[in-house]
Amino acid sequence: MLTQLTLLVAALAAGVHGSPRPADVKRATPTVYLAGDSTMAKTSAPLDGWGPYLGKYLTVPVVNKAISGRSARSYTNEGRFAEIEKLVTSGDIVVIEFGHNDGGSPNSASDNARSDCPGSGSETCKSGKTGETVYTFSYYVEKAAKSFIAKGASVVVSSQTPNNMWEGGKYGAGASRFVAYAASSAKNVGKGASFVDHFQAVAALYLKLGNEKTNALYPKDHTHTSPEGGDLVAQAFVQAVGLDFNGTTPLKAYLKSPIPKVF
């Protein structure tokens, strides 16, 4: 009996002072993956997207998989969502943001391989150039999101950033249809997905900055920002997350303090 009691005490002591038991093991730090176009991607001077600056405001690593010129359709067809799917593990977070290159119609003989089928559901089109079946923005985003969630990751569907809203010296706040599509896509995916209206966050930032300062952030065209602009756009995203702008996202737990206040 004494021997059994001695063994039991030793086992309990090992649980306290020795190797931690499985329940006590802390989950590995998650990784944030970014999927998007040139407004999110790392580009060359004098331009830059917002993705390279997001890590400044998070306590976890960020892997930027955004590629210039892509749409939800072309990103899918090139296997880029599939590449992220292979990388993600349970607890990771994927931010998806498209819209700038998704417009137009694929029906033309000059189909650019980026335009999605118009609509926000199960509509399909045929490419006028290749004959391939083309799906909607929502289809591509939702399919990718579900594949990440199936691996235990969380997904943040972010609406596209606005173009220069002070172009021509007058503020214009009209949002493209892909902003609404992004919101509905997150809702359709359901558990594991959340939405951030990055468009409205940046629109509020530009309204606050005014004409001259906003125009200075666009050195070449009305879509692509300077590095300073990319950083501000990243801060607007982080502030939206911190404010639960469209509901709580899993990113909120990994924001550095203080949270930026740019709008």
Side-chain angles (χ1 to χ4, degrees), residues 170-192:
K170 185 177 180 181
Y171 183 80
S176 84
R177 65 184 185 275
F178 297 104
V179 173
Y181 290 170
S184 63
S185 293
K187 183 177 181 180
N188 291 341
V189 171
K191 186 177 180 180

Side-chain angles (χ1 to χ4, degrees), residues 20-251:
R21 290 165 291 181
D24 299 324
V25 176
K26 219 175 179 182
R27 186 175 62 78
T29 300
T31 297
V32 177
Y33 291 91
L34 306 182
D37 55 36
S38 59
T39 60
M40 180 191 267
K42 175 64 180 174
T43 57
S44 56
L47 307 174
D48 213 357
W50 67 273
Y53 303 92
L54 181 60
K56 292 171 58 177
Y57 308 103
L58 301 182
T59 61
V60 291
V62 176
V63 176
N64 191 356
K65 292 290 185 178
I67 303 290
S68 295
R70 274 32 176 209
S71 66
R73 173 189 169 193
S74 62
Y75 203 87
T76 300
N77 290 345
E78 292 174 5
R80 299 184 185 277
F81 278 131
E83 178 188 346
I84 296 175
E85 183 186 351
K86 291 177 183 177
L87 295 172
V88 296
T89 59
S90 182
D92 287 341
I93 303 168
V94 184
V95 180
I96 302 174
E97 183 180 290
F98 288 98
H100 282 285
N101 301 309
D102 292 77
S105 170
N107 299 320
S108 167
S110 59
D111 173 31
N112 62 10
R114 301 187 303 185
S115 299
D116 309 318
C117 187
S120 59
S122 59
E123 299 91 337
T124 61
C125 302
K126 289 287 184 184
S127 168
K129 186 174 183 179
T130 67
E132 70 170 289
T133 300
V134 181
Y135 301 92
T136 64
F137 172 94
S138 299
Y139 172 89
Y140 294 118
V141 170
E142 291 170 28
K143 183 173 184 289
K146 290 174 182 177
S147 74
F148 303 142
I149 292 169
K151 291 194 67 178
S154 299
V155 175
V156 177
V157 182
S158 176
S159 60
Q160 70 174 86
T161 56
N163 288 331
N164 181 357
M165 305 189 82
W166 284 99
E167 187 176 23
K170 185 177 180 181
Y171 183 80
S176 84
R177 65 184 185 275
F178 297 104
V179 173
Y181 290 170
S184 63
S185 293
K187 183 177 181 180
N188 291 341
V189 171
K191 186 177 180 180
S194 52
F195 172 63
V196 171
D197 196 339
H198 201 185
F199 184 98
Q200 288 301 328
V202 177
L205 161 67
Y206 289 166
L207 182 60
K208 182 177 180 179
L209 286 178
N211 179 23
E212 186 175 338
K213 289 182 179 179
T214 300
N215 273 290
L217 302 178
Y218 289 88
K220 290 191 72 174
D221 56 39
H222 66 194
T223 301
H224 303 96
T225 57
S226 64
E228 180 186 359
D231 194 347
L232 284 169
V233 171
Q235 290 182 60
F237 177 83
V238 171
Q239 184 178 352
V241 170
L243 292 173
D244 296 326
F245 210 49
N246 308 101
T248 302
T249 82
L251 282 170

